[in-house]
Amino acid sequence: VLTSSGKIARIRSLEEYPLSQDPNKDRTIELVEIFRAIREKHSESDSVTVTATQQDRVALRRKTFPFRERHKILKSLPFELEDDIPFSAENSVFDFKTTHFVGNTAHVIACACPKEYLRQFLTRLEESQLYPDVVSVEGIALANAFEEDRESPTEYSAKEQALPESAPAEVVFHIGHHSTLVLVLKDGYLLDIRQVDWGGRDIAETIASKYSMAYTEALKELKRKAFILTNNEGATREQIALSEVIKSSVDKLAHHLQLI
C-alpha cells in the first residue's frame, strides 16, 4: 500500500499471502479467497489498484526506434514484433518501457501479451470483485525497487555509443517458487529482463529425491534448514551433506545464467 504526496511516494504497508503447498488444494479457489480478502481490507473509494501479469506470460524484446513519440512507438510495435514473438500479433496486447535515449533514437523494452491470458487474468480478479486500474508486467514492476527515480529516461548524446560497447552494469536476481527473474540495470535504469525456469521448488524436489521424502516434507526441511556453507569448518556431517544437496540444485541455476 503506497501513499503519494506530490512527486513523493511512501510505502504505508506491505502484506504477504502464502499459498498452500497441499497439491490437493484448488489453487484457483485459494487465489479468489485471497483477492477477496485484499478487496475487503482496501476498499477505499479513491484508491488505485495496480496488478502485474506473470513474467512467463509476456514476451519481452529490446528494440530501437528512430523517434521518441510514444504514440508512434505504440503504433509500430505490432509490426516490429510480428516475427519475434511466439504467438499471433493480432491476438496480443502491446506496450513498452523506454530505457534510454541516444540522440533522437529511443531504446525500449517492448512487451507483448496474448489477449486470452489477459482475459483469464482479469476474469479471475473480477470474480473477486477486484477491478485493477493498471496491469503491469512482473519484471518491470520489480525493477521499481532498484531504478533511480527519474522524471524521464536517461539521455545519451548521439555522438556517444552507450551500447553495445561493454559497460558496467548490475544484475539483480529474484528467486521465486517456480522461476527466477534476472534484472539488468545500467546507470540506474532497467536495461533488460530474463527469466529462468528454476526456483525454490527445484531445491525442494532435489531434497525430496536425495532423502526419499515427500515433496511437502522437503519444503519444510528447506524452510527450516536450508543454507549453503561457504566453508565446512565447524559444521556437522548432516549440515555438510544438506549444503551439498542444495548446492547441486543451485548449480543448475548458475548454468542457466551462463547460457543467457
Side-chain angles (χ1 to χ4, degrees), residues 40-252:
E40 290 169 3
K41 192 168 185 178
H42 307 288
S43 57
E44 299 97 333
S45 59
D46 60 344
S47 62
V48 176
T49 303
V50 181
T51 61
T53 64
Q54 289 178 240
Q55 189 64 54
D56 61 1
R57 303 295 181 140
V58 182
L60 299 182
R61 299 291 185 272
R62 286 174 55 197
K63 291 289 182 180
T64 58
F65 294 91
F67 40 77
R68 294 179 170 217
E69 294 83 359
R70 177 172 176 79
H71 70 279
K72 288 185 179 180
I73 296 175
L74 274 176
K75 189 175 181 180
S76 303
L77 282 180
F79 307 102
E80 285 290 323
L81 295 176
E82 188 173 14
D83 296 331
D84 292 345
I85 57 177
F87 37 79
S88 167
E90 63 182 18
N91 293 320
S92 304
V93 175
F94 297 90
D95 208 336
F96 70 95
K97 173 184 173 66
T98 301
T99 60
H100 60 287
F101 295 119
V102 179
N104 290 322
T105 301
H107 292 248
V108 310
I109 297 177
C111 311
C113 183
K115 292 179 181 177
E116 181 57 34
Y117 168 71
L118 279 176
R119 189 178 296 111
Q120 295 171 3
F121 177 72
L122 292 173
T123 297
R124 180 176 292 178
L125 291 174
E126 288 170 4
E127 288 172 349
S128 313
Q129 296 183 328
L130 261 180
Y131 304 97
D133 299 274
V134 177
V135 178
S136 185
V137 179
E138 187 178 5
I140 291 177
L142 178 63
N144 287 327
F146 303 98
E147 287 188 293
E148 292 180 10
D149 186 18
R150 291 191 175 99
E151 291 186 12
S152 59
T154 300
E155 297 266 0
Y156 294 103
S157 168
K159 296 180 181 179
E160 296 179 29
Q161 184 62 40
L163 292 174
E165 291 180 0
S166 176
E170 294 178 303
V171 180
V172 177
F173 303 102
H174 177 66
I175 300 176
H177 184 62
H178 295 280
S179 61
T180 295
L181 285 176
V182 183
L183 308 181
V184 181
L185 297 108
K186 178 183 180 295
D187 294 343
Y189 63 83
L190 178 66
L191 182 64
D192 205 355
I193 302 172
R194 290 288 188 273
Q195 178 174 346
V196 179
D197 292 328
W198 183 96
R201 177 185 61 176
D202 294 80
I203 300 177
E205 289 176 348
T206 302
I207 293 173
S209 175
K210 177 68 175 179
Y211 292 100
S212 301
M213 62 173 62
Y215 173 73
T216 52
E217 289 301 313
L219 272 177
K220 293 176 182 178
E221 288 293 299
L222 179 60
K223 292 178 181 179
R224 287 198 301 259
K225 304 177 181 179
F227 53 80
I228 294 179
L229 293 169
T230 55
N231 66 71
N232 296 340
E233 185 178 349
T236 66
R237 183 180 300 176
E238 290 76 13
Q239 288 174 331
I240 294 172
L242 182 58
S243 173
E244 289 299 317
V245 170
I246 296 173
K247 181 178 179 297
S248 69
S249 182
V250 176
D251 282 343
K252 296 177 183 177

Side-chain angles (χ1 to χ4, degrees), residues 2-18:
L2 291 94
T3 55
S4 61
S5 176
K7 296 180 181 179
I8 299 174
R10 291 186 173 88
I11 296 176
R12 194 175 78 195
S13 65
L14 179 67
E15 298 165 11
E16 183 178 18
Y17 296 84

